Amino acid sequence: MGRPDDQPLLTTAELARRLNVTSGTVQRWVRTGRIRPTLVTPGNQFRFNLDDVLEQLSQPRKRPD
């Protein structure tokens, strides 16, 4: 996943604010595979590219059987 150099990566809290959801929702989406972070820091913190996340959220979800 490439990202433009002029678009900074967002923390979980920053992404949550941009999407008007809680940080817990963002963490659940990562845990369940709904979205993938652009980067995971050595401290196991997520960083996100907003455009990548919006693209991932626009994809249809597969329903569990």
Side-chain angles (χ1 to χ4, degrees), residues 5-27:
D5 290 330
D6 60 341
Q7 188 175 25
L9 294 178
L10 304 173
T11 65
T12 299
E14 291 167 338
L15 180 66
R17 276 193 296 277
R18 297 276 185 103
L19 298 178
N20 199 31
V21 298
T22 67
S23 293
T25 296
V26 172
Q27 292 169 350

Side-chain angles (χ1 to χ4, degrees), residues 11-51:
T11 65
T12 299
E14 291 167 338
L15 180 66
R17 276 193 296 277
R18 297 276 185 103
L19 298 178
N20 199 31
V21 298
T22 67
S23 293
T25 296
V26 172
Q27 292 169 350
R28 185 177 72 247
W29 287 345
V30 171
R31 198 172 50 251
T32 62
R34 181 75 176 112
I35 62 173
R36 292 177 318 278
T38 303
L39 174 75
V40 180
T41 70
N44 211 28
Q45 296 179 354
F46 302 133
R47 297 295 184 264
F48 301 91
N49 174 283
L50 181 59
D51 290 340

